[in-house]
Amino acid sequence: MAVSMKNVDPAFQGVGQKVGTDIWRIENFRPVPIPKSDYGKFYCGDSYIVLQTTATKSGAYHYDIHFWLGKDTSQDEAGTAAIKTVELDAALGGRAVQYRELQGHETDKFLSYFKPCIIPLEGGAASGFRKPEITKFEPRLYVCKGRRVVRVKQVPFARTSLNHDDVFVLDTESKVYQFNGASSNIQERAKSLEVVQYIKDEYHEGKCDIAVIDDGKLVAESDSGEFWALFGGFAPIGKKNGSDDDSRMESTPGKLYSIVEGEIKIVEGPLSKGMLESNKCYLLDCGAEVYVWVGRVTQLEERKSASLTAEEFISNQKRPRNTHITRVIQGFETLPFRSNFDSWSLGTGTSGSEDGRGKVAALLKQQGINVKGILKATPLKEEIPPLLEGNGKLEVWRVKNVSKAPVPKEDIGKFYSGDCYIILYTYHSGDRKEDYFLCFWLGKQSTQEDQAVAARLTNTMANSLKGRPVQGRILEGKEPPQFIGLFPNMAILKGGLSAGYKKYITEKGINDETYNGDGIALIQVCGTGPHNSKAIQVDPVAESLNSCDCFLLQTGTSLFAWHGNSSALEQQLSVARIAEFLKPGTLLKAVKEGTGQQHFGMHWEGNKAT
C-alpha cells in the first residue's frame, strides 16, 4: 500500500528512526506527543498511542504499536486512538504489529516498557474530565498481580477488598504498607515491593515510611496494629471473590471472517493461507484473542474500518473486556497467527520480523533446513523464519563425566566439536505463561558415552519441568534457525574440553587440536541474519578461504579480519563481533581479499593467503 503522508497525521512524521518509546495522548481527536517525564503516567479518562521501536540482530527496526484505553475514556477518543494507530503504522511503512490495551488488562509486552509498573491516575488531561483538586490526602488501596510484570489495580479502601491470596499496597499520607496474603506468591511479593518503592519515590518524593504486613501476624506488632486500625480494627478477612474483570475466554480454534465495507462474513472451510487475498481485510476469531489481518494492497481507509469492525465484533459478541485485539499486516504475521492455518509453513517468516512468540513445537521440524542467504545478493530477498521470543533466560551446561557443568556467561555460544551441551531457554509466549525450549547439542567428535549422558540429563530436566518443554536433539552442522537465534554470537570450535574427548584422542593417538585463545586459528563467519549467523573454526590454510564469506585469523598476538569480495556487509559486521567474543579487547585489523597478503598470510606455515 503506497500511502501519501498527507493522509497521515503530522505528529507521526519522522518517527521510528531510533530505538526507544514514543507516546502520544489523544487530545481533541489529534495525537499530541507527551513529554518523556510523563512516560508511564496514564489517566483513566484518556486514550494513548505507544510506539516501541527495537533493533533486530540484523540491524533492522521492528515496531510494536499499542493504543491504551482508560476505563473512563470516551468512545470517540477510543475510536480516534484506533484510527490514528493505523495511520502511525502507515507512516512506518505498514509493517508494525498493533495491540489494543485496556486499562487493567494490558499485555505483558506493554507493561514491560514501564518499570516497575503503571498506576493509572484519576481524571483526564485530554478528555472531558478535569484533574481532581487535591485537598485532603485520601488513602488508596491497590492489588498487585503478576510474577513477570506486575499489574496494579486500585480497589475500594475497605477490609472486604483484602483476601489471603493476593498482595495489596496501601498508600497513606505518611506511610506505604504492603500486605502479603498468607497464600500469595513469593514472586508477586517481590514485585509488589518494587511498587511500594515506586510510590514512595514518585508520590511522596521519597519522604515516607514503608512497612510490610504479613497476613496472620500478631496485631501487637506496631506496623500491623497501625495497618489494621486504618480499617477500623483487626477482624478476619474473607476469601478471594472472582470478578468479571478476572474472567477470560478460553482459546478456541480460529474462525475466519472477511471484512467488506465494515460487514463481516464467515469464510467456510479448513483455514489455509490461500484464503487470504491481498486486496481484503479479514478477522480471525480465536476466542481469547481476535486478529485483524490486512492485505498489502488494501487502502488506508479500509484498514481503519477493519480495526473499528474488530471493536464492534467484540462488543456484539458480548466478549469479556479483556479480549485482546491484535492487527497484523500481510507478510509480517506473527507466529501465533500463522499457527491457526494448517497449510501455512511455520518456517516461512519475513525479513525484519523476529516475533516468534507462542507455539514453537514446530521448531524440531526445522532441523536440516537449508537456509539461504550467504551470498551478497540474497539478504534483501531472504525470508527469516520465526524466532523464539527475545528477552528470555538462556542457560547452557557442558556434559562433564556423568553430570553437567554450567558454562560461564561469557562463554555461552562457544561449542566445542568434541563436547556435548544441554541448553534451556525460558521465555514467555503470552500473558503470564512461561514456556521452555530444552535441547542437547552433540558435537561431531563427541563420544557416545557423553552423548548418552546428554540425552539422559535432558530427559531428567524435562521431567522436573513437568514435561512442559519443547525438546530437541541438535546435531553439529544441522542447527535450526531458532537454535542459532538464541545466541548473540555462536562459534563452533575444534577439539573438546570434556574428559571423555581427551581420553578418546589419547587412546587413538590423535593430536589435540582444541581451540585456545593463544594459538593460531582460522574462523569462518557465514550467514547474514540472527537465524543463520555462526562462526566455524576451519583448517588454517589458504585453501579454506572463499570469496563469499569473511574469516577471522587469530594468532597469539594479533587478529585479522579477511573480507571476501562477495561477502555481505552483515558478515563483515559479524566477524568483528566474533573477534570481540573470542578475544575481548584485542585490536582487529581488516584485510580485503586481494590485498594485505604479506600481513594476513605470513602466520601460516607453507601457505599463502590470497
Side-chain angles (χ1 to χ4, degrees):
M1 176 188 69
V3 176
S4 171
M5 287 304 290
K6 70 179 182 181
N7 297 321
V8 174
D9 198 287
F12 299 143
Q13 293 188 12
V15 300
Q17 300 304 308
K18 60 181 180 180
V19 171
T21 307
D22 295 281
I23 303 178
W24 297 264
R25 182 172 51 221
I26 302 301
E27 299 181 13
N28 297 321
F29 307 101
R30 298 291 299 276
V32 177
I34 67 174
K36 291 191 180 295
S37 58
D38 287 341
Y39 281 16
K41 295 179 181 178
F42 295 89
Y43 286 91
C44 300
D46 286 332
S47 299
Y48 297 79
I49 297 175
V50 178
L51 167 65
Q52 185 71 14
T53 305
T54 55
T56 67
K57 293 178 182 179
S58 62
Y61 285 129
H62 174 78
Y63 304 110
D64 290 292
I65 306 175
H66 309 254
F67 61 101
W68 186 91
L69 308 178
K71 64 182 179 64
D72 298 322
T73 192
S74 68
Q75 191 63 40
D76 287 340
E77 282 192 345
T80 300
I83 289 173
K84 292 299 181 182
T85 295
V86 177
E87 291 185 17
L88 174 56
D89 175 49
L92 297 169
R95 52 197 177 98
V97 181
Q98 300 173 31
Y99 307 85
R100 184 187 70 154
E101 308 285 353
L102 296 181
Q103 179 182 337
H105 306 288
E106 297 86 355
T107 61
D108 281 3
K109 178 185 282 291
F110 179 81
L111 292 175
S112 69
Y113 306 152
F114 308 100
K115 302 296 185 181
C117 64
I118 63 172
I119 302 179
L121 306 171
E122 291 299 324
S127 67
F129 290 79
R130 293 281 185 182
K131 292 184 182 179
E133 294 289 333
I134 298 178
T135 53
K136 181 182 178 182
F137 189 96
E138 295 291 338
R140 293 182 291 267
L141 183 63
Y142 304 95
V143 62
C144 302
K145 299 182 180 182
R147 304 180 184 182
R148 182 182 177 220
V149 294
V150 63
R151 287 172 171 77
V152 180
K153 177 184 177 183
Q154 187 171 355
V155 294
F157 175 43
R159 186 198 317 277
T160 54
S161 295
L162 302 174
N163 63 65
H164 299 293
D165 298 310
D166 293 320
V167 181
F168 295 83
V169 173
L170 176 61
D171 182 17
T172 70
E173 190 169 9
S174 59
K175 186 177 289 189
V176 182
Y177 298 87
Q178 174 173 324
F179 175 79
N180 297 326
S183 302
S184 60
N185 182 274
I186 189 171
Q187 291 173 289
E188 289 185 338
R189 295 183 183 189
K191 286 291 184 182
S192 298
L193 197 55
E194 296 178 13
V195 175
V196 169
Q197 188 63 47
Y198 172 77
I199 291 175
K200 175 182 177 179
D201 295 339
E202 190 71 22
Y203 300 107
H204 295 272
E205 299 180 345
K207 299 175 182 178
C208 73
D209 295 326
I210 290 175
V212 177
I213 310 300
D214 289 320
D215 186 10
K217 288 293 182 69
L218 296 176
V219 184
E221 295 185 7
S222 172
D223 289 333
S224 182
E226 291 176 1
F227 175 80
W228 288 112
L230 293 167
F231 291 93
F234 177 80
I237 57 177
K239 295 182 178 180
K240 180 178 180 180
N241 293 320
S243 67
D244 291 339
D245 285 345
D246 295 326
S247 65
R248 183 177 176 86
M249 280 195 65
E250 295 293 327
S251 295
T252 60
K255 292 182 180 179
L256 187 66
Y257 300 84
S258 61
I259 303 175
V260 180
E261 297 181 352
E263 299 293 327
I264 64 171
K265 180 180 179 182
I266 193 166
V267 180
E268 302 287 352
L271 297 187
S272 66
K273 182 180 179 182
M275 291 178 169
L276 304 174
E277 300 179 30
S278 299
N279 62 343
K280 292 183 179 180
C281 297
Y282 293 84
L283 185 148
L284 179 66
D285 178 18
C286 298
E289 185 159 15
V290 171
Y291 295 92
V292 175
W293 183 91
V294 176
R296 278 182 175 171
V297 296
T298 53
Q299 299 302 309
L300 182 60
E301 292 306 316
E302 291 179 277
R303 299 183 177 194
K304 292 179 180 179
S305 177
S307 294
L308 296 179
T309 299
E311 299 273 357
E312 295 173 359
F313 179 82
I314 294 293
S315 177
N316 294 339
Q317 293 281 320
K318 294 181 170 50
R319 297 289 175 83
R321 292 184 67 251
N322 57 355
T323 301
H324 289 152
I325 298 178
T326 303
R327 202 207 74 164
V328 295
I329 188 75
Q330 181 182 7
F332 291 85
E333 297 88 349
T334 61
L335 181 57
F337 176 87
R338 293 198 305 274
S339 66
N340 289 279
F341 296 79
D342 293 336
S343 63
W344 202 325
S345 171
L346 297 184
T348 304
T350 56
S351 179
S353 173
E354 293 185 336
D355 197 298
R357 295 168 301 189
K359 303 172 183 177
V360 296
L363 174 73
L364 303 183
K365 298 179 182 179
Q366 302 295 332
Q367 293 193 35
I369 280 184
N370 181 23
V371 291
K372 53 187 177 180
I374 62 170
L375 296 180
K376 191 172 184 179
T378 59
L380 292 178
K381 300 178 182 178
E382 180 178 24
E383 293 186 338
I384 298 179
L387 306 181
L388 297 183
E389 175 73 14
N391 300 319
K393 180 181 180 183
L394 179 63
E395 299 172 274
V396 181
W397 297 265
R398 179 173 54 81
V399 170
K400 184 178 182 180
N401 298 321
V402 294
S403 60
K404 64 184 191 298
V407 174
K409 185 176 181 180
E410 64 273 15
D411 288 335
I412 288 180
K414 296 177 184 177
F415 293 87
Y416 288 85
S417 189
D419 293 338
C420 297
Y421 296 82
I422 299 171
I423 299 92
L424 174 64
Y425 184 64
T426 306
Y427 64 103
H428 294 262
S429 62
D431 287 352
R432 309 180 186 182
K433 181 183 178 183
E434 195 170 60
D435 282 333
Y436 307 94
F437 171 62
L438 176 65
C439 66
F440 57 100
W441 183 93
L442 306 179
K444 288 181 178 179
Q445 304 302 319
S446 61
T447 64
Q448 291 185 354
E449 291 81 1
D450 282 353
Q451 293 178 12
V453 171
R456 176 176 58 80
L457 293 177
T458 301
N459 188 58
T460 300
M461 290 179 67
N463 291 335
S464 70
L465 295 171
K466 300 180 180 180
R468 287 178 58 193
V470 174
Q471 296 184 56
R473 173 176 173 268
I474 311 294
L475 303 179
E476 178 185 340
K478 296 184 178 180
E479 297 84 4
Q482 290 82 356
F483 179 82
I484 297 174
L486 294 177
F487 303 93
N489 299 292
M490 181 178 178
I492 299 177
L493 306 171
K494 288 178 175 287
L497 305 177
S498 70
Y501 172 77
K502 299 297 186 184
K503 179 182 178 182
Y504 172 79
I505 61 173
T506 299
E507 291 176 349
K508 297 294 183 179
I510 301 172
N511 291 332
D512 190 352
E513 297 182 327
T514 301
Y515 169 86
N516 73 79
D518 297 324
I520 293 178
L522 183 64
I523 313 290
Q524 180 182 13
V525 179
C526 50
T528 56
H531 63 300
N532 63 5
S533 289
K534 61 181 178 180
I536 305 170
Q537 185 176 357
V538 295
D539 293 333
V541 296
E543 288 76 11
S544 295
L545 301 176
N546 72 73
S547 298
C548 294
D549 292 324
C550 292
F551 291 79
L552 178 70
L553 175 63
Q554 170 197 294
T555 71
T557 57
S558 303
L559 277 179
F560 296 90
W562 186 89
H563 298 161
N565 286 335
S566 297
S567 63
L569 175 61
E570 290 84 352
Q571 292 170 288
Q572 296 170 19
L573 296 174
S574 293
V575 77
R577 291 196 298 268
I578 293 296
E580 183 63 22
F581 177 50
L582 296 177
K583 290 180 70 69
T586 303
L587 179 65
L588 181 64
K589 304 173 184 177
V591 177
K592 187 172 178 59
E593 179 180 3
T595 64
Q597 299 95 319
Q598 67 276 23
H599 299 295
F600 189 75
M602 66 183 183
H603 299 283
W604 299 352
E605 297 180 4
N607 293 287
K608 181 179 180 181
T610 58

